[in-house]
Amino acid sequence: MKEVKVLTKILKANDMIAAEIRSLLDSHGIPCLNLMSSPGAGKTTLLEKTARLLSGSFSLAAIEGDVATSLDGERLNAAGIPTVQVNTGGGCHLDASMIKDALQNFDLAKTDLLFIENVGNLICPSSFDLGEHVRVVLLSLPEGEDKPLKYPAMFLNSSVLVLSKVDLAGRGGGTLAASRANALKVNPRLKVFEVSSTEGSGLAEWADYLKALVAQKKKGKTG
Amino acid sequence: MHELSVAQRIIEITQEQAAKAGLTRVTAIKLRIGGLTTVVPEALNFCFSFAAEGTPAAGAELVIEEIPAEAKCNACGKVFPVTEAYFLVCPSCSSPDTTLLRGQELDLMSIEGETDEDRGAAGQTPAGQTSAGAAPKTNTAKNKTIRGRT
């Protein structure tokens, strides 16, 4: 019997590909946001509205992850965001190798901002680095204000929180104040946006944030 | 079920390391899993047991050391467990300026197994001696206060 010391991160292979992706994006000055949430929290709708606000001034691109169908990819393409649909075929999350493959379909020299819409799931995606610069978690009010406490890893591992469907406040589900407070209790460093994609509130702040990200990345372009 | 992806990576690393060290059969794999990783030991064991079939890791035991999450307050210096009650806000002075110390580990520490030589030697020893370095029992998730899975 023999014991062999290994001491390695189990997801090292994924992390290495993620680092490669991040430096590729850095060399083009492209910020990348990884959007994560439960299914139905409004990721695709937020991106559709974002396209309306930004596609005049920036070239956007998206990688859309779903277990099955290209429904969301079609929606984003229709909204004017060139999108590559990735189907995980049952997999509960995207991993870095899927992103690396998908990136071959884009002309990075002509891209200003990349979105990754992860598989709808408040648990698994938080464990996988995709080479993004910003992890964004969406929490829609109807899901209930207890979600950050029940699924803390997702909120701990994100740096931006979009509280979505705020127009539905007072119609069951969580209150805005409690949803926000619970998320900040898990991770006090979250930058919070309160958005209603259907009514438009909060979208201007979100768009300003993205514009600033693009400007900042372009300045720090490594290539 | 991202535990399946994690199990597959464990098997890949194990195969690679076993080949390097000349292990023909792996009996135990030691892991360190932090309390904030969302990897559930029972689910990992389950996925591993079938994903390992047909590899040198088949039948190996996952020996899991769970690392409870801990953070340190940058304002008052208190080290505190990260729990549902206060997560990353200091329970002592309420400062949100804290640093996570432990809880995000997802590490493969070591593997244990037999070389062909061991097996040859084992064949010549009296019955009952072959299980002499049997792997310790797998730790089954005692301490999983903030692991999220519905």
PDB file of all heavy atoms in Angstrom, chain A residues 154-180:
ATOM      1  N   MET A 154     -24.035  31.279  -3.917  1.00  0.00           N
ATOM      2  CA  MET A 154     -24.222  32.078  -5.125  1.00  0.00           C
ATOM      3  C   MET A 154     -24.050  33.569  -4.829  1.00  0.00           C
ATOM      4  O   MET A 154     -23.464  34.310  -5.619  1.00  0.00           O
ATOM      5  CB  MET A 154     -25.616  31.804  -5.697  1.00  0.00           C
ATOM      6  CG  MET A 154     -25.919  32.541  -6.956  1.00  0.00           C
ATOM      7  SD  MET A 154     -24.758  32.124  -8.256  1.00  0.00           S
ATOM      8  CE  MET A 154     -25.457  30.605  -8.878  1.00  0.00           C
ATOM      9  N   PHE A 155     -24.551  33.999  -3.684  1.00  0.00           N
ATOM     10  CA  PHE A 155     -24.487  35.416  -3.342  1.00  0.00           C
ATOM     11  C   PHE A 155     -23.099  35.795  -2.822  1.00  0.00           C
ATOM     12  O   PHE A 155     -22.619  36.899  -3.048  1.00  0.00           O
ATOM     13  CB  PHE A 155     -25.602  35.758  -2.338  1.00  0.00           C
ATOM     14  CG  PHE A 155     -26.971  35.627  -2.956  1.00  0.00           C
ATOM     15  CD1 PHE A 155     -27.607  34.389  -3.042  1.00  0.00           C
ATOM     16  CD2 PHE A 155     -27.599  36.726  -3.521  1.00  0.00           C
ATOM     17  CE1 PHE A 155     -28.849  34.253  -3.661  1.00  0.00           C
ATOM     18  CE2 PHE A 155     -28.843  36.608  -4.143  1.00  0.00           C
ATOM     19  CZ  PHE A 155     -29.462  35.366  -4.216  1.00  0.00           C
ATOM     20  N   LEU A 156     -22.469  34.837  -2.148  1.00  0.00           N
ATOM     21  CA  LEU A 156     -21.107  35.067  -1.654  1.00  0.00           C
ATOM     22  C   LEU A 156     -20.116  35.195  -2.798  1.00  0.00           C
ATOM     23  O   LEU A 156     -19.154  35.966  -2.738  1.00  0.00           O
ATOM     24  CB  LEU A 156     -20.670  33.878  -0.793  1.00  0.00           C
ATOM     25  CG  LEU A 156     -20.930  33.948   0.693  1.00  0.00           C
ATOM     26  CD1 LEU A 156     -20.613  32.605   1.323  1.00  0.00           C
ATOM     27  CD2 LEU A 156     -20.072  35.036   1.319  1.00  0.00           C
ATOM     28  N   ASN A 157     -20.344  34.411  -3.849  1.00  0.00           N
ATOM     29  CA  ASN A 157     -19.388  34.360  -4.948  1.00  0.00           C
ATOM     30  C   ASN A 157     -19.687  35.359  -6.058  1.00  0.00           C
ATOM     31  O   ASN A 157     -19.083  35.307  -7.115  1.00  0.00           O
ATOM     32  CB  ASN A 157     -19.338  32.949  -5.549  1.00  0.00           C
ATOM     33  CG  ASN A 157     -18.694  31.956  -4.593  1.00  0.00           C
ATOM     34  OD1 ASN A 157     -17.786  32.308  -3.857  1.00  0.00           O
ATOM     35  ND2 ASN A 157     -19.178  30.730  -4.582  1.00  0.00           N
ATOM     36  N   SER A 158     -20.658  36.235  -5.846  1.00  0.00           N
ATOM     37  CA  SER A 158     -20.980  37.242  -6.858  1.00  0.00           C
ATOM     38  C   SER A 158     -20.550  38.612  -6.350  1.00  0.00           C
ATOM     39  O   SER A 158     -20.400  38.814  -5.147  1.00  0.00           O
ATOM     40  CB  SER A 158     -22.485  37.258  -7.133  1.00  0.00           C
ATOM     41  OG  SER A 158     -22.880  36.021  -7.687  1.00  0.00           O
ATOM     42  N   SER A 159     -20.366  39.540  -7.286  1.00  0.00           N
ATOM     43  CA  SER A 159     -20.042  40.886  -6.821  1.00  0.00           C
ATOM     44  C   SER A 159     -21.134  41.895  -7.160  1.00  0.00           C
ATOM     45  O   SER A 159     -21.129  43.005  -6.656  1.00  0.00           O
ATOM     46  CB  SER A 159     -18.697  41.348  -7.395  1.00  0.00           C
ATOM     47  OG  SER A 159     -18.699  41.217  -8.793  1.00  0.00           O
ATOM     48  N   VAL A 160     -22.077  41.475  -8.008  1.00  0.00           N
ATOM     49  CA  VAL A 160     -23.190  42.362  -8.355  1.00  0.00           C
ATOM     50  C   VAL A 160     -24.498  41.608  -8.156  1.00  0.00           C
ATOM     51  O   VAL A 160     -24.598  40.425  -8.494  1.00  0.00           O
ATOM     52  CB  VAL A 160     -23.081  42.835  -9.827  1.00  0.00           C
ATOM     53  CG1 VAL A 160     -24.343  43.572 -10.260  1.00  0.00           C
ATOM     54  CG2 VAL A 160     -21.855  43.719 -10.028  1.00  0.00           C
ATOM     55  N   LEU A 161     -25.476  42.289  -7.581  1.00  0.00           N
ATOM     56  CA  LEU A 161     -26.818  41.719  -7.423  1.00  0.00           C
ATOM     57  C   LEU A 161     -27.808  42.576  -8.198  1.00  0.00           C
ATOM     58  O   LEU A 161     -27.842  43.796  -8.028  1.00  0.00           O
ATOM     59  CB  LEU A 161     -27.219  41.702  -5.939  1.00  0.00           C
ATOM     60  CG  LEU A 161     -28.703  41.444  -5.635  1.00  0.00           C
ATOM     61  CD1 LEU A 161     -29.104  40.013  -6.003  1.00  0.00           C
ATOM     62  CD2 LEU A 161     -29.011  41.700  -4.162  1.00  0.00           C
ATOM     63  N   VAL A 162     -28.578  41.940  -9.074  1.00  0.00           N
ATOM     64  CA  VAL A 162     -29.682  42.650  -9.716  1.00  0.00           C
ATOM     65  C   VAL A 162     -30.970  42.129  -9.096  1.00  0.00           C
ATOM     66  O   VAL A 162     -31.312  40.951  -9.242  1.00  0.00           O
ATOM     67  CB  VAL A 162     -29.695  42.416 -11.247  1.00  0.00           C
ATOM     68  CG1 VAL A 162     -30.937  43.062 -11.864  1.00  0.00           C
ATOM     69  CG2 VAL A 162     -28.431  42.984 -11.889  1.00  0.00           C
ATOM     70  N   LEU A 163     -31.650  42.991  -8.360  1.00  0.00           N
ATOM     71  CA  LEU A 163     -32.968  42.628  -7.845  1.00  0.00           C
ATOM     72  C   LEU A 163     -33.940  42.937  -8.967  1.00  0.00           C
ATOM     73  O   LEU A 163     -34.133  44.099  -9.334  1.00  0.00           O
ATOM     74  CB  LEU A 163     -33.298  43.455  -6.595  1.00  0.00           C
ATOM     75  CG  LEU A 163     -32.579  43.013  -5.321  1.00  0.00           C
ATOM     76  CD1 LEU A 163     -32.726  44.065  -4.222  1.00  0.00           C
ATOM     77  CD2 LEU A 163     -33.118  41.668  -4.835  1.00  0.00           C
ATOM     78  N   SER A 164     -34.522  41.874  -9.534  1.00  0.00           N
ATOM     79  CA  SER A 164     -35.338  42.068 -10.727  1.00  0.00           C
ATOM     80  C   SER A 164     -36.828  41.951 -10.410  1.00  0.00           C
ATOM     81  O   SER A 164     -37.206  41.508  -9.330  1.00  0.00           O
ATOM     82  CB  SER A 164     -34.937  41.037 -11.789  1.00  0.00           C
ATOM     83  OG  SER A 164     -35.119  39.734 -11.292  1.00  0.00           O
ATOM     84  N   LYS A 165     -37.642  42.365 -11.389  1.00  0.00           N
ATOM     85  CA  LYS A 165     -39.112  42.354 -11.252  1.00  0.00           C
ATOM     86  C   LYS A 165     -39.571  43.172 -10.044  1.00  0.00           C
ATOM     87  O   LYS A 165     -40.505  42.764  -9.343  1.00  0.00           O
ATOM     88  CB  LYS A 165     -39.638  40.911 -11.160  1.00  0.00           C
ATOM     89  CG  LYS A 165     -39.156  40.011 -12.315  1.00  0.00           C
ATOM     90  CD  LYS A 165     -39.828  38.660 -12.326  1.00  0.00           C
ATOM     91  CE  LYS A 165     -39.155  37.734 -13.345  1.00  0.00           C
ATOM     92  NZ  LYS A 165     -39.758  36.413 -13.441  1.00  0.00           N
ATOM     93  N   VAL A 166     -38.903  44.294  -9.818  1.00  0.00           N
ATOM     94  CA  VAL A 166     -39.271  45.090  -8.633  1.00  0.00           C
ATOM     95  C   VAL A 166     -40.668  45.696  -8.790  1.00  0.00           C
ATOM     96  O   VAL A 166     -41.277  46.114  -7.813  1.00  0.00           O
ATOM     97  CB  VAL A 166     -38.235  46.209  -8.325  1.00  0.00           C
ATOM     98  CG1 VAL A 166     -36.883  45.604  -7.967  1.00  0.00           C
ATOM     99  CG2 VAL A 166     -38.093  47.175  -9.487  1.00  0.00           C
ATOM    100  N   ASP A 167     -41.191  45.705 -10.016  1.00  0.00           N
ATOM    101  CA  ASP A 167     -42.556  46.190 -10.216  1.00  0.00           C
ATOM    102  C   ASP A 167     -43.575  45.230  -9.591  1.00  0.00           C
ATOM    103  O   ASP A 167     -44.737  45.594  -9.412  1.00  0.00           O
ATOM    104  CB  ASP A 167     -42.849  46.356 -11.720  1.00  0.00           C
ATOM    105  CG  ASP A 167     -42.508  45.104 -12.507  1.00  0.00           C
ATOM    106  OD1 ASP A 167     -41.323  44.695 -12.481  1.00  0.00           O
ATOM    107  OD2 ASP A 167     -43.417  44.521 -13.122  1.00  0.00           O
ATOM    108  N   LEU A 168     -43.152  44.022  -9.256  1.00  0.00           N
ATOM    109  CA  LEU A 168     -44.082  43.061  -8.671  1.00  0.00           C
ATOM    110  C   LEU A 168     -44.090  43.121  -7.141  1.00  0.00           C
ATOM    111  O   LEU A 168     -44.677  42.266  -6.481  1.00  0.00           O
ATOM    112  CB  LEU A 168     -43.749  41.635  -9.137  1.00  0.00           C
ATOM    113  CG  LEU A 168     -43.907  41.381 -10.644  1.00  0.00           C
ATOM    114  CD1 LEU A 168     -43.535  39.947 -11.001  1.00  0.00           C
ATOM    115  CD2 LEU A 168     -45.346  41.671 -11.088  1.00  0.00           C
ATOM    116  N   ALA A 169     -43.435  44.125  -6.587  1.00  0.00           N
ATOM    117  CA  ALA A 169     -43.416  44.274  -5.122  1.00  0.00           C
ATOM    118  C   ALA A 169     -44.854  44.370  -4.614  1.00  0.00           C
ATOM    119  O   ALA A 169     -45.698  44.997  -5.239  1.00  0.00           O
ATOM    120  CB  ALA A 169     -42.634  45.518  -4.740  1.00  0.00           C
ATOM    121  N   GLY A 170     -45.106  43.732  -3.495  1.00  0.00           N
ATOM    122  CA  GLY A 170     -46.440  43.818  -2.899  1.00  0.00           C
ATOM    123  C   GLY A 170     -47.436  42.855  -3.500  1.00  0.00           C
ATOM    124  O   GLY A 170     -48.617  42.878  -3.167  1.00  0.00           O
ATOM    125  N   ARG A 171     -46.999  41.983  -4.405  1.00  0.00           N
ATOM    126  CA  ARG A 171     -47.935  41.009  -4.999  1.00  0.00           C
ATOM    127  C   ARG A 171     -47.546  39.585  -4.613  1.00  0.00           C
ATOM    128  O   ARG A 171     -47.577  38.665  -5.434  1.00  0.00           O
ATOM    129  CB  ARG A 171     -47.899  41.137  -6.510  1.00  0.00           C
ATOM    130  CG  ARG A 171     -48.254  42.522  -6.966  1.00  0.00           C
ATOM    131  CD  ARG A 171     -48.951  42.459  -8.293  1.00  0.00           C
ATOM    132  NE  ARG A 171     -48.682  43.665  -9.041  1.00  0.00           N
ATOM    133  CZ  ARG A 171     -48.760  43.735 -10.350  1.00  0.00           C
ATOM    134  NH1 ARG A 171     -49.048  42.660 -11.049  1.00  0.00           N
ATOM    135  NH2 ARG A 171     -48.547  44.868 -10.966  1.00  0.00           N
ATOM    136  N   GLY A 172     -47.154  39.413  -3.394  1.00  0.00           N
ATOM    137  CA  GLY A 172     -46.668  38.108  -2.958  1.00  0.00           C
ATOM    138  C   GLY A 172     -45.187  38.041  -3.185  1.00  0.00           C
ATOM    139  O   GLY A 172     -44.605  38.934  -3.814  1.00  0.00           O
ATOM    140  N   GLY A 173     -44.547  36.993  -2.692  1.00  0.00           N
ATOM    141  CA  GLY A 173     -43.091  36.905  -2.823  1.00  0.00           C
ATOM    142  C   GLY A 173     -42.429  37.817  -1.822  1.00  0.00           C
ATOM    143  O   GLY A 173     -43.023  38.177  -0.809  1.00  0.00           O
ATOM    144  N   GLY A 174     -41.188  38.199  -2.126  1.00  0.00           N
ATOM    145  CA  GLY A 174     -40.431  38.949  -1.137  1.00  0.00           C
ATOM    146  C   GLY A 174     -40.631  40.452  -1.248  1.00  0.00           C
ATOM    147  O   GLY A 174     -41.100  40.956  -2.266  1.00  0.00           O
ATOM    148  N   THR A 175     -40.275  41.157  -0.174  1.00  0.00           N
ATOM    149  CA  THR A 175     -40.272  42.609  -0.259  1.00  0.00           C
ATOM    150  C   THR A 175     -38.891  43.035  -0.737  1.00  0.00           C
ATOM    151  O   THR A 175     -37.909  42.309  -0.580  1.00  0.00           O
ATOM    152  CB  THR A 175     -40.541  43.276   1.108  1.00  0.00           C
ATOM    153  OG1 THR A 175     -39.410  43.044   1.944  1.00  0.00           O
ATOM    154  CG2 THR A 175     -41.799  42.711   1.753  1.00  0.00           C
ATOM    155  N   LEU A 176     -38.851  44.221  -1.305  1.00  0.00           N
ATOM    156  CA  LEU A 176     -37.593  44.725  -1.838  1.00  0.00           C
ATOM    157  C   LEU A 176     -36.578  44.914  -0.709  1.00  0.00           C
ATOM    158  O   LEU A 176     -35.423  44.493  -0.814  1.00  0.00           O
ATOM    159  CB  LEU A 176     -37.879  46.060  -2.547  1.00  0.00           C
ATOM    160  CG  LEU A 176     -36.761  46.667  -3.354  1.00  0.00           C
ATOM    161  CD1 LEU A 176     -36.262  45.690  -4.387  1.00  0.00           C
ATOM    162  CD2 LEU A 176     -37.260  47.948  -4.029  1.00  0.00           C
ATOM    163  N   ALA A 177     -37.036  45.515   0.381  1.00  0.00           N
ATOM    164  CA  ALA A 177     -36.121  45.821   1.487  1.00  0.00           C
ATOM    165  C   ALA A 177     -35.532  44.542   2.072  1.00  0.00           C
ATOM    166  O   ALA A 177     -34.320  44.452   2.316  1.00  0.00           O
ATOM    167  CB  ALA A 177     -36.854  46.619   2.563  1.00  0.00           C
ATOM    168  N   ALA A 178     -36.371  43.521   2.276  1.00  0.00           N
ATOM    169  CA  ALA A 178     -35.881  42.290   2.909  1.00  0.00           C
ATOM    170  C   ALA A 178     -34.992  41.497   1.956  1.00  0.00           C
ATOM    171  O   ALA A 178     -34.005  40.894   2.378  1.00  0.00           O
ATOM    172  CB  ALA A 178     -37.060  41.447   3.382  1.00  0.00           C
ATOM    173  N   SER A 179     -35.328  41.489   0.665  1.00  0.00           N
ATOM    174  CA  SER A 179     -34.499  40.770  -0.305  1.00  0.00           C
ATOM    175  C   SER A 179     -33.096  41.378  -0.331  1.00  0.00           C
ATOM    176  O   SER A 179     -32.087  40.678  -0.313  1.00  0.00           O
ATOM    177  CB  SER A 179     -35.100  40.858  -1.707  1.00  0.00           C
ATOM    178  OG  SER A 179     -36.391  40.289  -1.718  1.00  0.00           O
ATOM    179  N   ARG A 180     -33.083  42.688  -0.355  1.00  0.00           N
ATOM    180  CA  ARG A 180     -31.816  43.411  -0.385  1.00  0.00           C
ATOM    181  C   ARG A 180     -31.032  43.163   0.902  1.00  0.00           C
ATOM    182  O   ARG A 180     -29.838  42.861   0.875  1.00  0.00           O
ATOM    183  CB  ARG A 180     -32.136  44.902  -0.551  1.00  0.00           C
ATOM    184  CG  ARG A 180     -30.970  45.778  -0.762  1.00  0.00           C
ATOM    185  CD  ARG A 180     -31.412  47.251  -0.722  1.00  0.00           C
ATOM    186  NE  ARG A 180     -30.257  48.072  -0.882  1.00  0.00           N
ATOM    187  CZ  ARG A 180     -29.913  48.677  -2.016  1.00  0.00           C
ATOM    188  NH1 ARG A 180     -30.684  48.600  -3.066  1.00  0.00           N
ATOM    189  NH2 ARG A 180     -28.822  49.380  -2.092  1.00  0.00           N
TER     190      ARG A 180
END
